[in-house]
Amino acid sequence: MGRVKISPISGFPEYLPAERIVEQHFLDVIRETFELHGFPSIETRAVEPVERLLGKGGDADKEIYAVSRLAAEDSAADAELGLHFDLTVPFARYVLENAGHLPFPFRRHQIQKVWRGERPQEGRYREFTQADIDVVDVGALAPHFEAEMPLVVAEVFRRLPIGPMVIQVNNRKIPEGFYLGLGIEDVTGTLRIVDKLDKIGPAKVADALVDAGCTEEQAARCLALAEIRSEDLSFVERVRALGVEHPILDEGLEALGAVIQAGLDNAPGAMVADLKIARGLDYYTGTVYETQLVGYESWGSFCSGGRYDSLASDGRTTYPGVGISIGVSRLLGLLLGKGLLKASRSTPACVLVAVNDEASRRSSTRVATALRGRGIPCEVAPAAAKFGKQIRYAERRGIPYVWFPGGGGSGDQVKDIRSGDQVDADGSTWSPPAEDLAPQIVRA
């Protein structure tokens, strides 16, 4: 029988153990922070009716993976299901189905895989993990929730070893009111063009706006608005100085001002008002967010979201909401791919319990059981080889301590194989330093 060649499938990342430790640390911090802010967890099914997926999200029809059974007699029925491409659309459906059992305003966090059939490239995958928080209410949603979302995310990023992140915030009502005040009727089309500013630059955006029917003066004013960025409330006067007036513009400036003020009060330096942020998806109606890693702005946004007023509706009742999503796989893919983060070891084990000989393995297992009972992760050596070989086994995995069970009347000893220090120890009392108990995530 010939050798079987296994080829990887692009866009479906799989981590080695040390990388997975970094990912699990990120997921733990994200979940703990979400729960610290009172967001309970839900999980929705992986599939939704294709019709529902097609109804939201712009170009989603190009990205949806259809689900079918190879042995199905009626494949048409299966083709009506698709894998969800984000967590917002299934969450909206979840709210509609369970509205009678949910307390409103309803807040939740959700950390799951999603799937998109786009072309794989650095930091973009076909299967990846997202971490979302949302708040929805019945009929109307209080505006203070729009300020809460970036505060939660700012705390997540403060607790992760990734350096400073900046949350760029805008309100869709600002460009909408501004464009209407300029006499531009196609607000959505204009937003989509301006949203490409970072990708194609101001000159090409101006040309595209003129091609779409704007005058050169209107295009220049649109670009002037998009250039406004401030870490404080000064953006309001800078917009006013452009001389455009409209009631919707007034609403947007007031709403964005409240969000930025909340950032100044609770997370100084974490937020910036950036009026070129538009978000391409049609369902955003108010505050919108994008997030960049300082010094790595060319990587784009790792965290985004916004306010939506009509994503969830059963025809009688509308459930407006606001949410923000962390692209966990995208962020980790770039941090790990560029070698910026690593785990201090590739195993959770802090101690390797050596085995004197196979006849005494039970004794080694009893030591390991005692250590685990006190919350100290450990494993028992796989073979009763010479102690030098057992130590090398620990070294290859980054396990800092090797435990030598006593024999012939002598007591147990534990060795720090990094320093060479070896001391008497008792499994019922010995503990490692706190920094050695679990793998540490370090910046390379």
mmCIF file with all atom_site columns, all heavy atoms in Angstrom, residues 330-356:
data_model
loop_
_atom_site.group_PDB
_atom_site.id
_atom_site.type_symbol
_atom_site.label_atom_id
_atom_site.label_alt_id
_atom_site.label_comp_id
_atom_site.label_asym_id
_atom_site.label_entity_id
_atom_site.label_seq_id
_atom_site.pdbx_PDB_ins_code
_atom_site.Cartn_x
_atom_site.Cartn_y
_atom_site.Cartn_z
_atom_site.occupancy
_atom_site.B_iso_or_equiv
_atom_site.pdbx_formal_charge
_atom_site.auth_seq_id
_atom_site.auth_comp_id
_atom_site.auth_asym_id
_atom_site.auth_atom_id
_atom_site.pdbx_PDB_model_num
ATOM 1   N N   . ARG A 1 330 ? -8.898 35.969 13.207 1.00 0.00 ? 330 ARG A N   1
ATOM 2   C CA  . ARG A 1 330 ? -8.173 36.961 12.400 1.00 0.00 ? 330 ARG A CA  1
ATOM 3   C C   . ARG A 1 330 ? -7.054 37.602 13.220 1.00 0.00 ? 330 ARG A C   1
ATOM 4   O O   . ARG A 1 330 ? -5.901 37.702 12.758 1.00 0.00 ? 330 ARG A O   1
ATOM 5   C CB  . ARG A 1 330 ? -9.147 38.017 11.898 1.00 0.00 ? 330 ARG A CB  1
ATOM 6   C CG  . ARG A 1 330 ? -8.490 39.182 11.177 1.00 0.00 ? 330 ARG A CG  1
ATOM 7   C CD  . ARG A 1 330 ? -9.519 40.041 10.465 1.00 0.00 ? 330 ARG A CD  1
ATOM 8   N NE  . ARG A 1 330 ? -8.957 41.320 10.059 1.00 0.00 ? 330 ARG A NE  1
ATOM 9   C CZ  . ARG A 1 330 ? -8.065 41.475 9.071  1.00 0.00 ? 330 ARG A CZ  1
ATOM 10  N NH1 . ARG A 1 330 ? -7.645 40.424 8.413  1.00 0.00 ? 330 ARG A NH1 1
ATOM 11  N NH2 . ARG A 1 330 ? -7.612 42.665 8.758  1.00 0.00 ? 330 ARG A NH2 1
ATOM 12  N N   . LEU A 1 331 ? -7.374 38.012 14.436 1.00 0.00 ? 331 LEU A N   1
ATOM 13  C CA  . LEU A 1 331 ? -6.379 38.647 15.298 1.00 0.00 ? 331 LEU A CA  1
ATOM 14  C C   . LEU A 1 331 ? -5.258 37.668 15.640 1.00 0.00 ? 331 LEU A C   1
ATOM 15  O O   . LEU A 1 331 ? -4.067 37.988 15.511 1.00 0.00 ? 331 LEU A O   1
ATOM 16  C CB  . LEU A 1 331 ? -7.060 39.154 16.572 1.00 0.00 ? 331 LEU A CB  1
ATOM 17  C CG  . LEU A 1 331 ? -6.169 39.817 17.622 1.00 0.00 ? 331 LEU A CG  1
ATOM 18  C CD1 . LEU A 1 331 ? -5.416 40.995 17.033 1.00 0.00 ? 331 LEU A CD1 1
ATOM 19  C CD2 . LEU A 1 331 ? -6.996 40.252 18.821 1.00 0.00 ? 331 LEU A CD2 1
ATOM 20  N N   . LEU A 1 332 ? -5.624 36.451 16.040 1.00 0.00 ? 332 LEU A N   1
ATOM 21  C CA  . LEU A 1 332 ? -4.613 35.463 16.414 1.00 0.00 ? 332 LEU A CA  1
ATOM 22  C C   . LEU A 1 332 ? -3.783 35.024 15.216 1.00 0.00 ? 332 LEU A C   1
ATOM 23  O O   . LEU A 1 332 ? -2.577 34.812 15.343 1.00 0.00 ? 332 LEU A O   1
ATOM 24  C CB  . LEU A 1 332 ? -5.291 34.243 17.038 1.00 0.00 ? 332 LEU A CB  1
ATOM 25  C CG  . LEU A 1 332 ? -5.668 34.365 18.513 1.00 0.00 ? 332 LEU A CG  1
ATOM 26  C CD1 . LEU A 1 332 ? -6.512 33.178 18.939 1.00 0.00 ? 332 LEU A CD1 1
ATOM 27  C CD2 . LEU A 1 332 ? -4.436 34.475 19.381 1.00 0.00 ? 332 LEU A CD2 1
ATOM 28  N N   . GLY A 1 333 ? -4.421 34.888 14.057 1.00 0.00 ? 333 GLY A N   1
ATOM 29  C CA  . GLY A 1 333 ? -3.697 34.448 12.879 1.00 0.00 ? 333 GLY A CA  1
ATOM 30  C C   . GLY A 1 333 ? -2.544 35.375 12.544 1.00 0.00 ? 333 GLY A C   1
ATOM 31  O O   . GLY A 1 333 ? -1.443 34.929 12.194 1.00 0.00 ? 333 GLY A O   1
ATOM 32  N N   . LEU A 1 334 ? -2.774 36.668 12.698 1.00 0.00 ? 334 LEU A N   1
ATOM 33  C CA  . LEU A 1 334 ? -1.725 37.637 12.393 1.00 0.00 ? 334 LEU A CA  1
ATOM 34  C C   . LEU A 1 334 ? -0.698 37.736 13.523 1.00 0.00 ? 334 LEU A C   1
ATOM 35  O O   . LEU A 1 334 ? 0.503  37.798 13.283 1.00 0.00 ? 334 LEU A O   1
ATOM 36  C CB  . LEU A 1 334 ? -2.349 38.992 12.094 1.00 0.00 ? 334 LEU A CB  1
ATOM 37  C CG  . LEU A 1 334 ? -3.110 39.024 10.757 1.00 0.00 ? 334 LEU A CG  1
ATOM 38  C CD1 . LEU A 1 334 ? -4.016 40.240 10.662 1.00 0.00 ? 334 LEU A CD1 1
ATOM 39  C CD2 . LEU A 1 334 ? -2.144 39.017 9.580  1.00 0.00 ? 334 LEU A CD2 1
ATOM 40  N N   . LEU A 1 335 ? -1.158 37.714 14.774 1.00 0.00 ? 335 LEU A N   1
ATOM 41  C CA  . LEU A 1 335 ? -0.229 37.793 15.901 1.00 0.00 ? 335 LEU A CA  1
ATOM 42  C C   . LEU A 1 335 ? 0.698  36.579 15.945 1.00 0.00 ? 335 LEU A C   1
ATOM 43  O O   . LEU A 1 335 ? 1.905  36.700 16.156 1.00 0.00 ? 335 LEU A O   1
ATOM 44  C CB  . LEU A 1 335 ? -1.007 37.903 17.217 1.00 0.00 ? 335 LEU A CB  1
ATOM 45  C CG  . LEU A 1 335 ? -1.734 39.220 17.472 1.00 0.00 ? 335 LEU A CG  1
ATOM 46  C CD1 . LEU A 1 335 ? -2.636 39.095 18.684 1.00 0.00 ? 335 LEU A CD1 1
ATOM 47  C CD2 . LEU A 1 335 ? -0.743 40.369 17.670 1.00 0.00 ? 335 LEU A CD2 1
ATOM 48  N N   . LEU A 1 336 ? 0.114  35.392 15.733 1.00 0.00 ? 336 LEU A N   1
ATOM 49  C CA  . LEU A 1 336 ? 0.927  34.176 15.739 1.00 0.00 ? 336 LEU A CA  1
ATOM 50  C C   . LEU A 1 336 ? 1.748  34.065 14.456 1.00 0.00 ? 336 LEU A C   1
ATOM 51  O O   . LEU A 1 336 ? 2.912  33.660 14.487 1.00 0.00 ? 336 LEU A O   1
ATOM 52  C CB  . LEU A 1 336 ? 0.028  32.950 15.904 1.00 0.00 ? 336 LEU A CB  1
ATOM 53  C CG  . LEU A 1 336 ? -0.674 32.807 17.263 1.00 0.00 ? 336 LEU A CG  1
ATOM 54  C CD1 . LEU A 1 336 ? -1.697 31.678 17.223 1.00 0.00 ? 336 LEU A CD1 1
ATOM 55  C CD2 . LEU A 1 336 ? 0.335  32.567 18.373 1.00 0.00 ? 336 LEU A CD2 1
ATOM 56  N N   . GLY A 1 337 ? 1.126  34.429 13.337 1.00 0.00 ? 337 GLY A N   1
ATOM 57  C CA  . GLY A 1 337 ? 1.826  34.330 12.061 1.00 0.00 ? 337 GLY A CA  1
ATOM 58  C C   . GLY A 1 337 ? 3.030  35.236 11.975 1.00 0.00 ? 337 GLY A C   1
ATOM 59  O O   . GLY A 1 337 ? 4.034  34.893 11.332 1.00 0.00 ? 337 GLY A O   1
ATOM 60  N N   . LYS A 1 338 ? 2.964  36.392 12.631 1.00 0.00 ? 338 LYS A N   1
ATOM 61  C CA  . LYS A 1 338 ? 4.087  37.331 12.638 1.00 0.00 ? 338 LYS A CA  1
ATOM 62  C C   . LYS A 1 338 ? 5.047  37.076 13.803 1.00 0.00 ? 338 LYS A C   1
ATOM 63  O O   . LYS A 1 338 ? 6.011  37.816 13.982 1.00 0.00 ? 338 LYS A O   1
ATOM 64  C CB  . LYS A 1 338 ? 3.568  38.766 12.717 1.00 0.00 ? 338 LYS A CB  1
ATOM 65  C CG  . LYS A 1 338 ? 2.659  39.174 11.558 1.00 0.00 ? 338 LYS A CG  1
ATOM 66  C CD  . LYS A 1 338 ? 3.399  39.197 10.239 1.00 0.00 ? 338 LYS A CD  1
ATOM 67  C CE  . LYS A 1 338 ? 2.502  39.714 9.131  1.00 0.00 ? 338 LYS A CE  1
ATOM 68  N NZ  . LYS A 1 338 ? 3.167  39.688 7.810  1.00 0.00 ? 338 LYS A NZ  1
ATOM 69  N N   . GLY A 1 339 ? 4.754  36.051 14.599 1.00 0.00 ? 339 GLY A N   1
ATOM 70  C CA  . GLY A 1 339 ? 5.638  35.723 15.716 1.00 0.00 ? 339 GLY A CA  1
ATOM 71  C C   . GLY A 1 339 ? 5.612  36.728 16.844 1.00 0.00 ? 339 GLY A C   1
ATOM 72  O O   . GLY A 1 339 ? 6.583  36.859 17.589 1.00 0.00 ? 339 GLY A O   1
ATOM 73  N N   . LEU A 1 340 ? 4.506  37.463 17.005 1.00 0.00 ? 340 LEU A N   1
ATOM 74  C CA  . LEU A 1 340 ? 4.435  38.495 18.035 1.00 0.00 ? 340 LEU A CA  1
ATOM 75  C C   . LEU A 1 340 ? 4.030  37.950 19.396 1.00 0.00 ? 340 LEU A C   1
ATOM 76  O O   . LEU A 1 340 ? 4.248  38.595 20.419 1.00 0.00 ? 340 LEU A O   1
ATOM 77  C CB  . LEU A 1 340 ? 3.444  39.587 17.610 1.00 0.00 ? 340 LEU A CB  1
ATOM 78  C CG  . LEU A 1 340 ? 3.787  40.324 16.313 1.00 0.00 ? 340 LEU A CG  1
ATOM 79  C CD1 . LEU A 1 340 ? 2.730  41.364 16.002 1.00 0.00 ? 340 LEU A CD1 1
ATOM 80  C CD2 . LEU A 1 340 ? 5.159  40.971 16.411 1.00 0.00 ? 340 LEU A CD2 1
ATOM 81  N N   . LEU A 1 341 ? 3.412  36.764 19.422 1.00 0.00 ? 341 LEU A N   1
ATOM 82  C CA  . LEU A 1 341 ? 2.994  36.137 20.667 1.00 0.00 ? 341 LEU A CA  1
ATOM 83  C C   . LEU A 1 341 ? 3.395  34.678 20.667 1.00 0.00 ? 341 LEU A C   1
ATOM 84  O O   . LEU A 1 341 ? 3.442  34.036 19.620 1.00 0.00 ? 341 LEU A O   1
ATOM 85  C CB  . LEU A 1 341 ? 1.464  36.211 20.835 1.00 0.00 ? 341 LEU A CB  1
ATOM 86  C CG  . LEU A 1 341 ? 0.811  37.504 21.284 1.00 0.00 ? 341 LEU A CG  1
ATOM 87  C CD1 . LEU A 1 341 ? -0.678 37.274 21.468 1.00 0.00 ? 341 LEU A CD1 1
ATOM 88  C CD2 . LEU A 1 341 ? 1.421  38.025 22.561 1.00 0.00 ? 341 LEU A CD2 1
ATOM 89  N N   . LYS A 1 342 ? 3.659  34.152 21.859 1.00 0.00 ? 342 LYS A N   1
ATOM 90  C CA  . LYS A 1 342 ? 3.899  32.720 21.984 1.00 0.00 ? 342 LYS A CA  1
ATOM 91  C C   . LYS A 1 342 ? 3.574  32.292 23.409 1.00 0.00 ? 342 LYS A C   1
ATOM 92  O O   . LYS A 1 342 ? 3.503  33.121 24.331 1.00 0.00 ? 342 LYS A O   1
ATOM 93  C CB  . LYS A 1 342 ? 5.341  32.366 21.632 1.00 0.00 ? 342 LYS A CB  1
ATOM 94  C CG  . LYS A 1 342 ? 6.379  32.944 22.574 1.00 0.00 ? 342 LYS A CG  1
ATOM 95  C CD  . LYS A 1 342 ? 7.785  32.500 22.162 1.00 0.00 ? 342 LYS A CD  1
ATOM 96  C CE  . LYS A 1 342 ? 8.836  33.036 23.145 1.00 0.00 ? 342 LYS A CE  1
ATOM 97  N NZ  . LYS A 1 342 ? 10.194 32.590 22.781 1.00 0.00 ? 342 LYS A NZ  1
ATOM 98  N N   . ALA A 1 343 ? 3.373  30.984 23.585 1.00 0.00 ? 343 ALA A N   1
ATOM 99  C CA  . ALA A 1 343 ? 3.160  30.426 24.911 1.00 0.00 ? 343 ALA A CA  1
ATOM 100 C C   . ALA A 1 343 ? 4.494  29.976 25.484 1.00 0.00 ? 343 ALA A C   1
ATOM 101 O O   . ALA A 1 343 ? 5.401  29.561 24.752 1.00 0.00 ? 343 ALA A O   1
ATOM 102 C CB  . ALA A 1 343 ? 2.191  29.251 24.839 1.00 0.00 ? 343 ALA A CB  1
ATOM 103 N N   . SER A 1 344 ? 4.614  30.053 26.810 1.00 0.00 ? 344 SER A N   1
ATOM 104 C CA  . SER A 1 344 ? 5.868  29.680 27.461 1.00 0.00 ? 344 SER A CA  1
ATOM 105 C C   . SER A 1 344 ? 6.114  28.179 27.415 1.00 0.00 ? 344 SER A C   1
ATOM 106 O O   . SER A 1 344 ? 7.252  27.728 27.587 1.00 0.00 ? 344 SER A O   1
ATOM 107 C CB  . SER A 1 344 ? 5.869  30.158 28.919 1.00 0.00 ? 344 SER A CB  1
ATOM 108 O OG  . SER A 1 344 ? 4.777  29.577 29.637 1.00 0.00 ? 344 SER A OG  1
ATOM 109 N N   . ARG A 1 345 ? 5.079  27.395 27.188 1.00 0.00 ? 345 ARG A N   1
ATOM 110 C CA  . ARG A 1 345 ? 5.237  25.955 27.005 1.00 0.00 ? 345 ARG A CA  1
ATOM 111 C C   . ARG A 1 345 ? 4.078  25.416 26.192 1.00 0.00 ? 345 ARG A C   1
ATOM 112 O O   . ARG A 1 345 ? 3.057  26.101 26.008 1.00 0.00 ? 345 ARG A O   1
ATOM 113 C CB  . ARG A 1 345 ? 5.364  25.222 28.346 1.00 0.00 ? 345 ARG A CB  1
ATOM 114 C CG  . ARG A 1 345 ? 4.194  25.397 29.318 1.00 0.00 ? 345 ARG A CG  1
ATOM 115 C CD  . ARG A 1 345 ? 4.513  24.657 30.620 1.00 0.00 ? 345 ARG A CD  1
ATOM 116 N NE  . ARG A 1 345 ? 3.400  24.575 31.551 1.00 0.00 ? 345 ARG A NE  1
ATOM 117 C CZ  . ARG A 1 345 ? 3.286  25.290 32.670 1.00 0.00 ? 345 ARG A CZ  1
ATOM 118 N NH1 . ARG A 1 345 ? 4.226  26.154 32.999 1.00 0.00 ? 345 ARG A NH1 1
ATOM 119 N NH2 . ARG A 1 345 ? 2.254  25.131 33.477 1.00 0.00 ? 345 ARG A NH2 1
ATOM 120 N N   . SER A 1 346 ? 4.217  24.199 25.698 1.00 0.00 ? 346 SER A N   1
ATOM 121 C CA  . SER A 1 346 ? 3.225  23.629 24.790 1.00 0.00 ? 346 SER A CA  1
ATOM 122 C C   . SER A 1 346 ? 2.262  22.677 25.481 1.00 0.00 ? 346 SER A C   1
ATOM 123 O O   . SER A 1 346 ? 1.503  21.969 24.825 1.00 0.00 ? 346 SER A O   1
ATOM 124 C CB  . SER A 1 346 ? 3.920  22.888 23.643 1.00 0.00 ? 346 SER A CB  1
ATOM 125 O OG  . SER A 1 346 ? 4.687  21.804 24.140 1.00 0.00 ? 346 SER A OG  1
ATOM 126 N N   . THR A 1 347 ? 2.290  22.637 26.812 1.00 0.00 ? 347 THR A N   1
ATOM 127 C CA  . THR A 1 347 ? 1.423  21.758 27.585 1.00 0.00 ? 347 THR A CA  1
ATOM 128 C C   . THR A 1 347 ? 0.958  22.489 28.830 1.00 0.00 ? 347 THR A C   1
ATOM 129 O O   . THR A 1 347 ? 1.686  23.336 29.369 1.00 0.00 ? 347 THR A O   1
ATOM 130 C CB  . THR A 1 347 ? 2.150  20.468 27.996 1.00 0.00 ? 347 THR A CB  1
ATOM 131 O OG1 . THR A 1 347 ? 1.327  19.721 28.915 1.00 0.00 ? 347 THR A OG1 1
ATOM 132 C CG2 . THR A 1 347 ? 3.471  20.770 28.689 1.00 0.00 ? 347 THR A CG2 1
ATOM 133 N N   . PRO A 1 348 ? -0.242 22.183 29.319 1.00 0.00 ? 348 PRO A N   1
ATOM 134 C CA  . PRO A 1 348 ? -0.659 22.785 30.591 1.00 0.00 ? 348 PRO A CA  1
ATOM 135 C C   . PRO A 1 348 ? 0.087  22.217 31.787 1.00 0.00 ? 348 PRO A C   1
ATOM 136 O O   . PRO A 1 348 ? 0.075  22.807 32.866 1.00 0.00 ? 348 PRO A O   1
ATOM 137 C CB  . PRO A 1 348 ? -2.162 22.450 30.659 1.00 0.00 ? 348 PRO A CB  1
ATOM 138 C CG  . PRO A 1 348 ? -2.339 21.262 29.773 1.00 0.00 ? 348 PRO A CG  1
ATOM 139 C CD  . PRO A 1 348 ? -1.321 21.407 28.684 1.00 0.00 ? 348 PRO A CD  1
ATOM 140 N N   . ALA A 1 349 ? 0.764  21.066 31.613 1.00 0.00 ? 349 ALA A N   1
ATOM 141 C CA  . ALA A 1 349 ? 1.435  20.417 32.738 1.00 0.00 ? 349 ALA A CA  1
ATOM 142 C C   . ALA A 1 349 ? 2.548  21.290 33.310 1.00 0.00 ? 349 ALA A C   1
ATOM 143 O O   . ALA A 1 349 ? 3.406  21.793 32.581 1.00 0.00 ? 349 ALA A O   1
ATOM 144 C CB  . ALA A 1 349 ? 1.990  19.068 32.311 1.00 0.00 ? 349 ALA A CB  1
ATOM 145 N N   . CYS A 1 350 ? 2.537  21.434 34.627 1.00 0.00 ? 350 CYS A N   1
ATOM 146 C CA  . CYS A 1 350 ? 3.566  22.189 35.338 1.00 0.00 ? 350 CYS A CA  1
ATOM 147 C C   . CYS A 1 350 ? 4.633  21.246 35.888 1.00 0.00 ? 350 CYS A C   1
ATOM 148 O O   . CYS A 1 350 ? 5.782  21.647 36.081 1.00 0.00 ? 350 CYS A O   1
ATOM 149 C CB  . CYS A 1 350 ? 2.897  22.964 36.481 1.00 0.00 ? 350 CYS A CB  1
ATOM 150 S SG  . CYS A 1 350 ? 4.002  23.715 37.659 1.00 0.00 ? 350 CYS A SG  1
ATOM 151 N N   . VAL A 1 351 ? 4.244  20.004 36.131 1.00 0.00 ? 351 VAL A N   1
ATOM 152 C CA  . VAL A 1 351 ? 5.133  19.027 36.749 1.00 0.00 ? 351 VAL A CA  1
ATOM 153 C C   . VAL A 1 351 ? 5.104  17.725 35.954 1.00 0.00 ? 351 VAL A C   1
ATOM 154 O O   . VAL A 1 351 ? 4.023  17.267 35.539 1.00 0.00 ? 351 VAL A O   1
ATOM 155 C CB  . VAL A 1 351 ? 4.713  18.730 38.209 1.00 0.00 ? 351 VAL A CB  1
ATOM 156 C CG1 . VAL A 1 351 ? 5.629  17.678 38.834 1.00 0.00 ? 351 VAL A CG1 1
ATOM 157 C CG2 . VAL A 1 351 ? 4.703  20.003 39.049 1.00 0.00 ? 351 VAL A CG2 1
ATOM 158 N N   . LEU A 1 352 ? 6.260  17.147 35.734 1.00 0.00 ? 352 LEU A N   1
ATOM 159 C CA  . LEU A 1 352 ? 6.356  15.773 35.229 1.00 0.00 ? 352 LEU A CA  1
ATOM 160 C C   . LEU A 1 352 ? 6.762  14.901 36.405 1.00 0.00 ? 352 LEU A C   1
ATOM 161 O O   . LEU A 1 352 ? 7.831  15.104 37.003 1.00 0.00 ? 352 LEU A O   1
ATOM 162 C CB  . LEU A 1 352 ? 7.396  15.654 34.118 1.00 0.00 ? 352 LEU A CB  1
ATOM 163 C CG  . LEU A 1 352 ? 7.602  14.219 33.603 1.00 0.00 ? 352 LEU A CG  1
ATOM 164 C CD1 . LEU A 1 352 ? 6.423  13.772 32.754 1.00 0.00 ? 352 LEU A CD1 1
ATOM 165 C CD2 . LEU A 1 352 ? 8.914  14.099 32.831 1.00 0.00 ? 352 LEU A CD2 1
ATOM 166 N N   . VAL A 1 353 ? 5.910  13.950 36.751 1.00 0.00 ? 353 VAL A N   1
ATOM 167 C CA  . VAL A 1 353 ? 6.249  13.021 37.829 1.00 0.00 ? 353 VAL A CA  1
ATOM 168 C C   . VAL A 1 353 ? 7.040  11.864 37.221 1.00 0.00 ? 353 VAL A C   1
ATOM 169 O O   . VAL A 1 353 ? 6.530  11.129 36.364 1.00 0.00 ? 353 VAL A O   1
ATOM 170 C CB  . VAL A 1 353 ? 4.982  12.495 38.531 1.00 0.00 ? 353 VAL A CB  1
ATOM 171 C CG1 . VAL A 1 353 ? 5.382  11.560 39.685 1.00 0.00 ? 353 VAL A CG1 1
ATOM 172 C CG2 . VAL A 1 353 ? 4.149  13.659 39.063 1.00 0.00 ? 353 VAL A CG2 1
ATOM 173 N N   . ALA A 1 354 ? 8.273  11.739 37.625 1.00 0.00 ? 354 ALA A N   1
ATOM 174 C CA  . ALA A 1 354 ? 9.139  10.694 37.081 1.00 0.00 ? 354 ALA A CA  1
ATOM 175 C C   . ALA A 1 354 ? 8.698  9.317  37.574 1.00 0.00 ? 354 ALA A C   1
ATOM 176 O O   . ALA A 1 354 ? 8.002  9.188  38.593 1.00 0.00 ? 354 ALA A O   1
ATOM 177 C CB  . ALA A 1 354 ? 10.588 10.958 37.474 1.00 0.00 ? 354 ALA A CB  1
ATOM 178 N N   . VAL A 1 355 ? 9.117  8.302  36.850 1.00 0.00 ? 355 VAL A N   1
ATOM 179 C CA  . VAL A 1 355 ? 8.817  6.916  37.202 1.00 0.00 ? 355 VAL A CA  1
ATOM 180 C C   . VAL A 1 355 ? 10.142 6.194  37.420 1.00 0.00 ? 355 VAL A C   1
ATOM 181 O O   . VAL A 1 355 ? 10.983 6.116  36.515 1.00 0.00 ? 355 VAL A O   1
ATOM 182 C CB  . VAL A 1 355 ? 7.999  6.220  36.089 1.00 0.00 ? 355 VAL A CB  1
ATOM 183 C CG1 . VAL A 1 355 ? 7.741  4.757  36.452 1.00 0.00 ? 355 VAL A CG1 1
ATOM 184 C CG2 . VAL A 1 355 ? 6.687  6.957  35.855 1.00 0.00 ? 355 VAL A CG2 1
ATOM 185 N N   . ASN A 1 356 ? 10.339 5.696  38.641 1.00 0.00 ? 356 ASN A N   1
ATOM 186 C CA  . ASN A 1 356 ? 11.594 5.005  38.959 1.00 0.00 ? 356 ASN A CA  1
ATOM 187 C C   . ASN A 1 356 ? 11.739 3.716  38.153 1.00 0.00 ? 356 ASN A C   1
ATOM 188 O O   . ASN A 1 356 ? 12.799 3.423  37.608 1.00 0.00 ? 356 ASN A O   1
ATOM 189 C CB  . ASN A 1 356 ? 11.660 4.699  40.451 1.00 0.00 ? 356 ASN A CB  1
ATOM 190 C CG  . ASN A 1 356 ? 11.740 5.973  41.294 1.00 0.00 ? 356 ASN A CG  1
ATOM 191 O OD1 . ASN A 1 356 ? 12.303 6.975  40.865 1.00 0.00 ? 356 ASN A OD1 1
ATOM 192 N ND2 . ASN A 1 356 ? 11.175 5.941  42.491 1.00 0.00 ? 356 ASN A ND2 1
#
